Amino acid sequence: MINGLVLAIVIWLVGVSVKDFACFLVDQYEFVGKEKQVFFNSTMQYYLVRASLIAILVAALIYYILMRKVLLPLQMLMKSTRIMTEGKYPEPIEVASNDETGQLSRHFNQMIMTLKQTEHGRRQMLSDISHELRTPLSNLNGYLEALSSGVIQGEPELYRSLHEESMHLTKLVDQLHQLSILEGKRLNQPLRELVNLDTVVQAACQRFELELEGKGIQSDIRLEPGKVQGDEIGLKQVVTNLIQNAIQYDHGGWISIIGEAAGQNYTVTISNKGQPIPRDQANLVFERFYRIDPSRHRETGGTGLGLAIAKEIVEQHDGEIGLTTDGLEHTFWFTLKRLESS
């Protein structure tokens, strides 16, 4: 209403100005009689009123159409926002334009989708954590209750089993704590240092020499020199987790670890023949608590956090990590931007 009133005033003032100016010009000519001058003024007044009304109506109609086009999406945004304040997720807003309002609606829809995915991930993580904790705690409670009531007698094998359950819980809690710390560093990026990535990979490989030899796994390690900017401890954790994962699921008796400097990137690949992984699940192995084995036995899997931790560290270094597989032979890889001086 305010905008319409302003528009009407502007049109009226312009019309009055034009009419007064025309009447002033007519008054300057002496050959124009008084009657004709009055007739001219009244005619100008009539056309001024008619033209102003028509202009106001046309302008109001155009203005209404334009404002409706802008206000309707905003009203839908307000309604959706109000639904969100009630703790619910609204339906996506229909986008019918590519202007600023349309872009705002698209961003709002994307935000809703992201929030839904985050909420789903949070619930899934709570479910996974409770599942991981329930089994060892139930075993511990059952055995301890049986021991305390005298139903069973303590034996070295039983105590060894209880110790394994306790170590599993400790490892799970430690990795959850590590993952929490890593996610907190997204807001506060750590200081980066010059790192010889080939040296880091070599040091991580040496850690598994005895384990590889004990399990009869042949290793092929080829590393080109390459320097990156990053956190040496974190990058060593990435390589360690990937090698540990390959050894744990090894079915072929061989492992290949290659570091290559190509262009502006340095890529580390860890390949072996392992537990079958469907191709459509290749990207899911980096999710928290994800396991290929649906039974979730610890004999066939760890805590399900090692690859998630590796992914978090690589992404904090602005790198990429992934898995390439044909179903049986798998290649885990990560790529970081290398320094030109390397």
Side-chain angles (χ1 to χ4, degrees), residues 234-285:
L235 294 176
K236 188 174 181 180
Q237 181 73 54
V238 172
V239 180
T240 298
N241 288 5
L242 293 179
I243 296 177
Q244 192 173 43
N245 181 78
I247 294 175
Q248 184 172 359
Y249 298 100
D250 179 74
H251 286 182
W254 60 271
I255 184 173
S256 173
I257 304 173
I258 300 176
E260 294 180 312
Q264 298 181 345
N265 298 323
Y266 191 93
T267 302
V268 177
T269 60
I270 300 173
S271 306
N272 77 322
K273 183 178 181 180
Q275 177 182 340
I277 300 177
R279 293 185 181 181
D280 58 347
Q281 299 183 27
N283 293 329
L284 299 177
V285 298

Side-chain angles (χ1 to χ4, degrees), residues 11-200:
I11 293 175
W12 181 258
L13 289 176
V14 172
V16 170
S17 300
V18 172
K19 177 253 184 183
D20 290 343
F21 181 69
C23 293
F24 172 77
L25 290 179
V26 171
D27 291 340
Q28 301 303 310
Y29 296 95
E30 297 180 356
F31 60 85
V32 179
K34 199 68 175 179
E35 293 181 359
K36 290 184 178 181
Q37 185 176 349
V38 172
F39 175 76
F40 177 81
N41 291 344
S42 62
T43 302
M44 285 294 296
Q45 183 74 24
Y46 168 75
Y47 283 107
L48 168 64
V49 173
R50 190 176 71 168
S52 297
L53 290 175
I54 294 175
I56 291 173
L57 290 175
V58 173
L61 179 61
I62 296 175
Y63 186 80
Y64 172 77
I65 295 174
L66 294 177
M67 290 305 299
R68 181 178 175 83
K69 183 179 179 182
V70 174
L71 290 178
L72 278 181
L74 292 179
Q75 291 174 352
M76 295 176 64
L77 282 171
M78 291 174 60
K79 181 180 179 181
S80 298
T81 305
R82 185 166 57 253
I83 294 175
M84 289 184 62
T85 58
E86 298 174 356
K88 304 176 184 177
Y89 291 111
E91 294 297 323
I93 298 174
E94 183 178 353
V95 181
S97 64
N98 294 321
D99 55 10
E100 290 79 359
T101 306
Q103 294 178 15
L104 178 61
S105 299
R106 288 191 182 89
H107 292 323
F108 184 84
N109 290 338
Q110 184 63 40
M111 182 186 69
I112 296 297
M113 186 180 301
T114 302
L115 289 175
K116 285 183 178 180
Q117 293 174 349
T118 302
E119 178 68 14
H120 175 74
R122 183 185 67 82
R123 292 180 179 179
Q124 185 64 43
M125 185 178 68
L126 289 176
S127 174
D128 291 334
I129 291 175
S130 63
H131 180 94
E132 293 291 337
L133 293 176
R134 186 185 301 113
T135 301
L137 285 176
S138 298
N139 292 338
L140 286 173
N141 290 334
Y143 280 122
L144 291 176
E145 183 178 355
L147 285 170
S148 63
S149 61
V151 176
I152 60 175
Q153 299 297 322
E155 297 178 356
E157 187 64 27
L158 174 59
Y159 291 131
R160 189 178 302 110
S161 175
L162 293 176
H163 181 258
E164 289 177 358
E165 297 287 358
S166 175
M167 291 299 296
H168 176 75
L169 284 173
T170 301
K171 182 179 179 181
L172 175 61
V173 173
D174 287 344
Q175 288 190 330
L176 284 171
H177 179 64
Q178 183 181 7
L179 194 56
S180 175
I181 293 176
L182 288 172
E183 290 179 341
K185 288 183 179 180
R186 284 185 178 271
L187 299 178
N188 301 306
Q189 288 291 338
L191 294 176
R192 300 290 175 86
E193 57 184 351
L194 185 64
V195 178
N196 292 312
L197 191 52
D198 56 302
T199 304
V200 171

